[in-house]
Amino acid sequence: MFSFIKMLQNFLRNLKKNKGLWFTTLSVISILGISFSMYILMTMTQNVSKEVYITMSETYETSLKNRINKKEENFKKLVASIYANNNILTAMEQNNINAVESIVNTYNENFLKAGFNELSMKFYPSSNQINQYRNSINSVITNKTKVFGVEVLNDGIFVILVEPILKDDNLIGVVEIKESIHTLKAEFEKDNSIFVFLLDEKMMGKLSLKAKTGKYRDVVNEYKVEEKKYDGNFFGKLISNGKEGFKKLEDKGYLVDDTYYKTYKKISDINGATIGLAILGEQVEGSGAFVNIVDKMTKTVTTVALGLVISILLFMF
């Protein structure tokens, strides 16, 4: 070990005698050191950026879940108001359909007056033949348990609660409360975020001709969007990115371009079948956009670290 150190010292001493070779060697070592340090720094900052984008994707997913759960809470409050209304309970118990529908219509009129244009209530009497109803309604009648989730119906895609109305453990009817899934767009906009729902083409058959004719546009990979409901610039980027860009979105869980940050969440219906995608994101423009904040932070860290690396290398030699 001592001999090796002595040999290294002799080598450096002889090297210093040759000024040209000495400075060339220092330059090469410096360049290699800076290059290696920059590689490490760039890799680290890229990994940090990636982690931030993944975290934001998870944040958006949580936000979507919370907003849908909030709808369930609000729907339950409407159900509670039904239990507090003796008139409608008596009418249900007596199977007085006209009286029940009159009260339900009043609810729907009040929704419209309050500006909830996409919110509605409907009553299903349990005394009728259950094969008159769709599966989700029949399931609630049979099992006396609520159903909540997303469902593609004849007139659109809805977040829906189907609640059994019980009296002394006897089923006296079923109430359906539903609100268009597209209302989530306005809720995300309050946080300067973007929401777009893409419907899987295989679910188009469940929509009536009136609900789908001339309204849906192809996006990518068999997904369609109800064009007039959303900002064309946002889903237009998905179209322009094509299948390759969409695959990157699916593989990474997010996609960042010069205009938008995008992430996605698969949407399943009340039966567990995937019916489409929620595309979530925000604009890159603006100093408050988190993409710009991440970019500025990584650039600042890289610049400062590079300065330190150069200073250390110069000091060493």
Side-chain angles (χ1 to χ4, degrees):
M1 185 66 183
F2 179 77
S3 298
F4 175 77
I5 295 173
K6 193 165 183 64
M7 183 181 67
L8 183 61
Q9 288 176 338
N10 291 332
F11 172 77
L12 291 174
R13 190 181 303 113
N14 293 330
L15 187 62
K16 288 180 180 180
K17 291 178 181 179
N18 189 334
K19 299 296 184 181
L21 182 59
W22 172 249
F23 284 111
T24 300
T25 303
L26 286 181
S27 299
V28 171
I29 292 174
S30 298
I31 292 171
L32 289 175
I34 292 172
S35 299
F36 180 73
S37 300
M38 283 301 299
Y39 171 78
I40 297 296
L41 288 171
M42 292 301 295
T43 302
M44 289 177 62
T45 53
Q46 287 175 359
N47 288 339
V48 169
S49 298
K50 180 180 177 181
E51 289 299 321
V52 172
Y53 293 143
I54 291 174
T55 300
M56 283 303 299
S57 177
E58 294 171 350
T59 300
Y60 270 112
E61 184 175 335
T62 300
S63 178
L64 176 61
K65 181 180 178 180
N66 290 340
R67 291 178 190 278
I68 292 176
N69 288 341
K70 185 67 175 178
K71 287 187 181 294
E72 182 179 14
E73 291 179 14
N74 292 335
F75 292 172
K76 285 181 178 179
K77 291 176 182 178
L78 293 174
V79 172
S81 70
I82 291 174
Y83 276 106
N85 188 330
N86 289 326
N87 291 331
I88 192 171
L89 288 176
T90 300
M92 288 179 181
E93 192 173 17
Q94 295 175 351
N95 200 30
N96 187 343
I97 306 301
N98 291 332
V100 174
E101 289 185 348
S102 177
I103 298 172
V104 169
N105 288 338
T106 300
Y107 270 96
N108 290 326
E109 289 169 4
N110 289 333
F111 295 156
L112 291 174
K113 289 177 182 178
F116 299 105
N117 300 331
E118 303 284 353
L119 178 65
S120 66
M121 179 185 293
K122 187 173 182 180
F123 174 71
Y124 295 87
S126 58
S127 58
N128 288 3
Q129 294 294 322
I130 62 173
N131 58 11
Q132 294 179 8
Y133 306 136
R134 66 181 191 273
N135 291 340
S136 55
I137 304 297
N138 291 338
S139 174
V140 173
I141 291 175
T142 302
N143 301 317
K144 296 182 183 180
T145 56
K146 72 171 185 178
V147 168
F148 175 79
V150 180
E151 190 170 7
V152 182
L153 301 179
N154 189 260
D155 52 340
I157 304 101
F158 297 91
V159 180
I160 193 164
L161 173 68
V162 183
E163 183 85 19
I165 305 300
L166 305 171
K167 186 171 183 181
D168 300 327
D169 203 35
N170 294 317
L171 184 71
I172 59 175
V174 171
V175 169
E176 170 195 87
I177 302 170
K178 66 181 184 180
E179 189 169 28
S180 172
I181 195 171
H182 304 305
T183 58
L184 290 167
K185 171 179 176 283
E187 296 182 25
F188 274 93
E189 284 178 345
K190 293 176 183 177
D191 297 329
N192 295 318
S193 300
I194 303 172
F195 169 89
V196 172
F197 177 75
L198 303 182
L199 182 65
D200 195 311
E201 187 175 37
K202 69 176 181 288
M203 306 304 296
M204 292 291 290
K206 292 193 173 186
L207 297 173
S208 67
L209 288 175
K210 181 180 178 181
K212 65 184 177 183
T213 303
K215 295 182 179 180
Y216 282 84
R217 176 179 177 180
D218 291 336
V219 179
V220 66
N221 288 10
E222 313 300 324
Y223 288 108
K224 296 178 178 289
V225 64
E226 191 169 351
E227 190 170 6
K228 292 184 179 180
K229 297 286 187 183
Y230 299 104
D231 177 8
N233 292 327
F234 188 65
F235 67 74
K237 268 290 185 179
L238 288 171
I239 295 173
S240 63
N241 288 339
K243 291 185 177 181
E244 183 178 345
F246 193 77
K247 187 176 187 305
K248 288 181 181 178
L249 174 63
E250 289 184 311
D251 291 344
K252 295 170 64 176
Y254 68 88
L255 192 63
V256 183
D257 54 36
D258 59 340
T259 312
Y260 299 102
Y261 166 85
K262 295 180 287 292
T263 184
Y264 77 98
K265 174 74 171 68
K266 289 185 178 181
I267 301 296
S268 300
D269 67 6
I270 55 178
N271 299 310
T274 300
I275 62 171
L277 299 177
I279 306 296
L280 310 162
E282 63 179 67
Q283 287 188 334
V284 171
E285 292 182 356
S287 59
F290 88 91
V291 174
N292 285 338
I293 293 173
V294 172
D295 186 54
K296 289 178 181 177
M297 288 176 62
T298 53
K299 284 181 178 177
T300 300
V301 170
T302 301
T303 302
V304 171
L306 178 60
L308 290 172
V309 168
I310 294 174
S311 298
I312 292 170
L313 289 173
L314 291 175
F315 177 77
M316 288 176 63
F317 296 101

